[in-house]
Amino acid sequence: MAPSKKRHASDQTCVIPGGFTVLPLQFSADSAAQHDLYVKEHKVRAATGSHRPLDRTLFVLNVPPYCSQATVRELFSRFGGVQSVELRDHPGSFQESGPELTEFFKPAEKKGFKVGYVVFQSASSLAAAKSHPHDVPLVVCTEGRPVRTGVQKWIQQYAESFIQPEELQRMVDSFLEDYDKRKVEAEERQKKEAEQQEEDDEGWVKVTRGHNGAKARPHSEAANRRTLQKEIRKKKRKELINFYTWQHKNTQKEHIAELRKKFEEDKQRIALLRAQRKFRPY
């Protein structure tokens, strides 16, 4: 939707404590009830990056349940081009991009009011949204943009809950292909790490540069296992008996001394037994 050419009257803007601007929301043109959205410029640097620029991101509170991301995009496109819309249950940092989950693995969506982050393509669109007059409500449901509620919405959700066998098969095939691809990549990465972390005969580990110039860590499970086996072999070599001549002589001396000690103990025991024995012919 093209930006509105109507000049917004800044003197009719309603600003409440906290720096929030009140934007009236009306479900349809003939609806008597209105709903208020509270918007302000998003200025949280800790959660701001290229996805939420400081000068083009609008923070929106009190978004009603019947407003989807597409609906919010259409509502705010009257102020200018909208780059992205994000709806969340609670304010917070940006959700990092990860593997896209199908509807089978996504948790059930919570029903209730949400908070939104609207990123405009231009900073002037943000200023236009903040200066929108309070007596001109934003209409959600129009002839060109119908929004279903109540029984019609339930019927639509029930019809969309059924998945055709062809679509289900396509989703399964896509998931398996992605799984096989990630498995092959993991095996190649483990093989490459094993080659980079090979030890030489003296126990040295070759450490190479990893991704983006970072040092690769040699403490992998395979490297730890090889190091443990090497230590066991070294310990066994140290425990070898009679490896040198002087070790053999010392072992013989210790063995002879132990035999002599045992011989003297046996003599004393025999003498004690003879002393205790008494001659009793009758």
Side-chain angles (χ1 to χ4, degrees):
M1 182 180 296
S4 176
K5 296 182 180 180
K6 181 180 178 181
R7 187 175 182 180
H8 302 290
S10 59
D11 54 348
Q12 297 180 2
T13 302
C14 179
V15 181
I16 62 175
F20 287 93
T21 301
V22 181
L23 294 184
L25 189 68
Q26 194 171 342
F27 183 77
S28 60
D30 55 352
S31 178
Q34 288 189 359
H35 180 80
D36 290 335
L37 299 178
Y38 306 102
V39 301
K40 67 182 299 185
E41 185 178 355
H42 182 61
K43 295 183 179 181
V44 181
R45 293 184 178 272
T48 304
S50 59
H51 44 271
R52 290 179 187 171
L54 287 175
D55 57 341
R56 294 188 289 111
T57 304
L58 187 69
F59 178 54
V60 187
L61 286 177
N62 208 27
V63 180
Y66 52 80
C67 286
S68 61
Q69 290 188 359
T71 304
V72 174
R73 179 184 290 270
E74 290 292 335
L75 287 174
F76 286 92
S77 62
R78 63 180 296 173
F79 304 112
V82 177
Q83 179 177 334
S84 64
V85 175
E86 180 187 357
L87 296 181
R88 302 192 63 181
D89 296 327
H90 305 283
S93 59
F94 180 76
Q95 295 177 347
E96 297 295 338
S97 59
E100 184 178 357
L101 300 177
T102 63
E103 58 186 50
F104 301 106
F105 301 101
K106 289 182 180 178
E109 184 180 358
K110 294 182 180 180
K111 306 298 181 181
F113 291 87
K114 298 181 180 297
V115 297
Y117 297 90
V118 181
V119 180
F120 292 99
Q121 297 178 358
S122 175
S124 59
S125 302
L126 177 64
K130 292 172 58 179
S131 61
H132 183 70
H134 184 261
D135 55 352
V136 181
L138 305 177
V139 181
V140 176
C141 181
T142 61
E143 294 182 359
R145 187 182 63 249
V147 177
R148 296 184 180 181
T149 58
V151 178
Q152 295 181 355
K153 183 178 180 180
W154 295 343
I155 294 175
Q156 181 182 2
Q157 292 178 349
Y158 178 76
E160 294 176 351
S161 63
F162 294 97
I163 301 178
Q164 298 298 328
E166 296 80 6
E167 181 67 16
L168 181 61
Q169 185 64 42
R170 186 191 63 79
M171 296 168 62
V172 172
D173 294 340
S174 176
F175 176 81
L176 292 177
E177 290 178 1
D178 183 63
Y179 173 78
D180 294 338
K181 182 179 179 181
R182 287 187 282 110
K183 186 177 180 180
V184 171
E185 291 177 354
E187 292 177 353
E188 293 179 353
R189 184 168 59 253
Q190 292 179 358
K191 184 178 179 181
K192 186 176 181 181
E193 291 179 357
E195 293 176 354
Q196 293 176 349
Q197 298 168 4
E198 288 183 355
E199 297 180 0
D200 55 12
D201 296 335
E202 298 181 357
W204 293 94
V205 180
K206 180 181 179 182
V207 180
T208 58
R209 293 287 177 178
H211 183 64
N212 293 333
K215 290 185 177 180
R217 295 186 59 189
H219 304 288
S220 64
E221 185 177 355
N224 293 336
R225 184 165 54 252
R226 290 194 299 269
T227 304
L228 180 60
Q229 293 176 357
K230 199 172 189 66
E231 291 295 332
I232 293 175
R233 290 195 298 268
K234 289 182 180 180
K235 188 176 181 181
K236 286 183 178 179
R237 286 199 299 267
K238 291 180 180 179
E239 294 177 353
L240 288 178
I241 302 175
N242 301 332
F243 187 77
Y244 296 103
T245 304
W246 63 270
Q247 289 180 337
H248 180 65
K249 291 181 178 180
N250 290 338
T251 304
Q252 286 183 342
K253 290 180 180 180
E254 292 176 358
H255 184 60
I256 292 173
E258 185 177 0
L259 289 176
R260 288 177 178 176
K261 181 179 179 181
K262 187 176 181 181
F263 177 72
E264 294 295 332
E265 291 177 356
D266 291 340
K267 285 177 62 177
Q268 294 178 4
R269 189 181 299 108
I270 292 173
L272 181 62
L273 292 175
R274 285 179 178 178
Q276 292 179 351
R277 187 174 61 180
K278 296 179 179 181
F279 181 73
R280 294 179 180 180
Y282 303 101

